Amino acid sequence: MKLINKFTLWYTLVTTMVLLIGGVIIFNMLLHEINIEAYQKVNSWIDNTVTQIEREVPLSELMTIKNISIEELDYDAPLIPHYESDSMAVFPPKMIGEDRKLTMGASYKLNGKHYHISAYDFLTEPDEIVEGLSKSLIAIMTLFLLLVAIVNRLALQRMLSPLQRALLEIKHFSLKNQNPIILPNTNIEEFKELNFFLHKMTTKANYDYIGLKEFSENASHEIQTPLAIIRGKMELLVATGLNEVQTEYIMSIESALQKFSSLNQSLLLLTKLENQEYGASEKINFSEALSGTLAYFQELINMRSLKLKMDIVSDVHLLINPYLTEILLNNLISNAIRHNIPDGQVRIVLTAQSLLIENTGQALTVAAEDLFKRFKKGNQSNDSTGLGLSIVQQICTINNFSIRYDYASGWHSINITFSQSDY
């Protein structure tokens, strides 16, 4: 419909401009033709009168002719050259208002006498031409708009219906469902090419999606297996008895393995989020989920001597996957704790419209606009993978939430605005 409406609008505008320009051209042509016709007619009256006098037709008969004036002058008076006068005068039949009057005349010496002969005629005024032309153009434009409306409803919609159906199929196309795209048949060559391209593109997208999904799952599984073996061997190694230096090495290896395992799980989660494998499956009590997550982190908050302030509205319900809710809240709260300062503060405000998480902390070492990119860290924390906020942003995107980061006066803030909360 948008394409049809735009086409109709532009077609109407262009046609209106053409009609206006054409109206100006027609006006000038009509005015020019009226002037030429009037000049020729008045001039012919004078020429005919001259001919009649030369034929010695009595002046009494010629004086009765309408619009002709004959005046006898002194024969020795100088000849009056041909003249023209375009003025305004009262039209005799109406005797109301003024009309355009064309007067022409000259003097002639005929049959031994000197005559001043003049003639006049009333012409159509330009404003009368404009009025008549405007009425005609309005009638034509009204008829044109009516025809455009009919063509829009019938011909254009029928012609573009394959495109509209194809757009609808694309809109509902989902890699997660793995349903082939069904495009309508059409006799228009351009739409046939478009359908062929869309079918080829979506088929390849489905194939690539399946391959990427299988690769991600297999890679994650294959990585976890050697990690588990390494951990098992390390436990056996510790059981054999190690000195202090060796124990520190083992702990360092264990920390690196833990970080590697977290990185693997985070990348796998990001892949699933980008492929939209998680749907908004059920409506959950987000207030209870947030309170439960804070209770889980309470011990860590106390260990770091952080002050927690909460303002949580009860019974905020959101349509979101419960697993994604847990990941979202865990990442946000753990970030607020991990990137805090000694004896710092954490403030959490939940309303039916938004979630605000603020924490004290050092200024960022990267640009704020890069914070949600993969492997970008606000500081160089060794226990951070740099994927937490990327995951948070992906979860917000698939649930139509908007997320914004700000830093001011030593406070970091993450504000998530819900689009589907209800009271």
Side-chain angles (χ1 to χ4, degrees):
M1 287 298 295
K2 290 182 179 179
L3 180 61
I4 294 176
N5 292 336
K6 287 183 179 179
F7 174 81
T8 303
L9 176 61
W10 280 106
Y11 189 73
T12 303
L13 290 175
V14 170
T15 306
T16 302
M17 291 299 298
V18 171
L19 286 175
L20 291 176
I21 296 172
V24 173
I25 295 174
I26 292 173
F27 167 76
N28 288 303
M29 292 179 64
L30 283 175
L31 188 61
H32 179 70
E33 290 297 326
I34 289 173
N35 289 339
I36 291 178
E37 181 70 21
Y39 276 71
Q40 290 177 347
K41 181 168 63 174
V42 173
N43 198 47
S44 69
W45 287 346
I46 294 176
D47 291 342
N48 183 62
T49 301
V50 171
T51 301
Q52 294 295 325
I53 292 175
E54 288 177 339
R55 293 177 180 176
E56 298 183 351
V57 175
L59 290 182
S60 58
E61 294 183 14
L62 297 177
M63 296 290 286
T64 60
I65 300 175
K66 182 181 178 181
N67 298 355
I68 298 294
S69 174
I70 303 174
E71 180 184 0
E72 188 173 347
L73 303 176
D74 184 14
Y75 188 82
D76 294 329
L79 288 171
I80 300 174
H82 178 84
Y83 64 87
E84 300 172 355
S85 173
D86 193 342
S87 60
M88 301 297 294
V90 177
F91 188 55
K94 296 187 296 183
M95 299 303 293
I96 300 175
E98 292 184 331
D99 288 319
R100 184 181 172 205
K101 182 181 179 181
L102 174 65
T103 304
M104 300 174 65
S107 66
Y108 303 87
K109 292 184 178 181
L110 306 170
N111 301 331
K113 295 184 179 181
H114 189 185
Y115 300 99
H116 172 244
I117 304 173
S118 65
Y120 72 88
D121 192 19
F122 285 91
L123 310 180
T124 303
E125 295 183 53
D127 58 343
E128 295 175 345
I129 300 176
V130 171
E131 181 180 357
L133 194 59
S134 298
K135 291 180 180 178
S136 300
L137 289 177
I138 291 173
I140 293 172
M141 179 59 66
T142 302
L143 178 62
F144 167 76
L145 291 176
L146 181 62
L147 291 175
V148 167
I150 295 174
V151 171
N152 179 28
R153 289 293 178 185
L154 301 177
L156 286 178
Q157 284 192 2
R158 183 174 181 180
M159 181 179 68
L160 296 178
S161 61
L163 177 61
Q164 294 176 341
R165 291 171 59 189
L167 291 174
L168 187 63
E169 286 290 331
I170 295 172
K171 183 177 179 180
H172 292 91
F173 175 72
S174 174
L175 290 172
K176 181 177 66 176
N177 296 333
Q178 288 293 295
N179 292 327
I181 188 170
I182 301 176
L183 298 171
N185 294 325
T186 176
N187 295 324
I188 302 175
E189 289 299 323
E190 289 79 4
F191 290 165
K192 284 183 179 180
E193 293 180 9
L194 176 63
N195 289 351
F196 174 77
F197 172 76
L198 290 175
H199 180 75
K200 182 179 179 181
M201 182 185 67
T202 52
T203 301
K204 186 177 186 303
N206 278 327
Y207 177 79
D208 292 342
Y209 168 77
I210 294 173
L212 179 61
K213 181 180 178 183
E214 291 178 351
F215 172 78
S216 300
E217 293 174 350
N218 292 338
S220 177
H221 180 268
E222 293 299 324
I223 290 174
Q224 290 299 329
T225 300
L227 286 177
I229 294 174
I230 293 172
R231 282 201 177 96
K233 297 297 184 180
M234 287 174 57
E235 290 175 1
L236 293 176
L237 184 60
V238 170
T240 61
L242 302 173
N243 58 38
E244 184 177 349
V245 175
Q246 292 172 329
T247 301
E248 290 180 0
Y249 288 158
I250 294 297
M251 291 178 62
S252 177
I253 295 173
E254 174 63 27
S255 176
L257 288 174
Q258 181 61 38
K259 182 176 180 180
F260 183 64
S261 179
S262 298
L263 178 63
N264 177 55
Q265 294 298 327
S266 296
L267 288 173
L268 179 62
L269 176 60
L270 268 175
T271 301
K272 290 184 177 181
L273 289 172
E274 291 173 350
N275 292 335
Q276 299 181 358
E277 294 185 31
Y278 295 99
S281 54
E282 60 183 270
K283 184 170 289 189
I284 67 168
N285 191 323
F286 200 77
S287 304
E288 292 182 357
L290 177 58
S291 298
T293 304
L294 288 172
Y296 174 78
F297 282 99
Q298 188 62 54
E299 184 176 351
L300 182 57
I301 292 173
N302 294 336
M303 287 176 58
R304 300 212 174 187
S305 301
L306 302 177
K307 295 180 181 179
L308 175 63
K309 294 183 180 180
M310 298 180 293
D311 184 6
I312 301 176
V313 174
S314 59
D315 295 326
V316 175
H317 291 85
L318 298 177
L319 192 64
I320 184 173
N321 186 287
Y323 177 61
L324 297 185
T325 302
E326 180 182 348
I327 295 173
L328 175 73
L329 295 175
N330 282 343
N331 283 350
L332 289 174
I333 296 174
S334 64
N335 271 354
I337 296 172
R338 181 186 303 115
H339 301 297
N340 219 307
I341 58 176
D343 299 320
Q345 300 181 57
V346 176
R347 290 198 298 245
I348 297 178
V349 180
L350 175 65
T351 67
Q353 294 81 27
S354 64
L355 169 64
L356 174 64
I357 297 181
E358 299 179 309
N359 66 275
T360 52
Q362 300 295 329
L364 296 178
T365 58
V366 298
E369 57 269 20
D370 294 334
L371 195 60
F372 293 99
K373 295 181 179 179
R374 296 184 183 186
F375 303 110
K376 291 292 184 179
K377 305 178 185 180
N379 57 51
Q380 299 305 314
S381 175
N382 289 329
D383 57 348
S384 173
T385 63
L387 295 174
L389 288 180
S390 296
I391 293 173
V392 168
Q393 186 183 48
Q394 284 293 332
I395 294 175
C396 290
T397 299
I398 66 175
N399 288 282
N400 296 320
F401 300 160
S402 61
I403 184 170
R404 187 182 74 252
Y405 166 82
D406 290 302
Y407 177 79
S409 302
W411 282 86
H412 301 272
S413 65
I414 294 286
N415 194 322
I416 297 178
T417 303
F418 311 131
S419 61
Q420 49 174 301
S421 59
D422 52 52
Y423 298 89

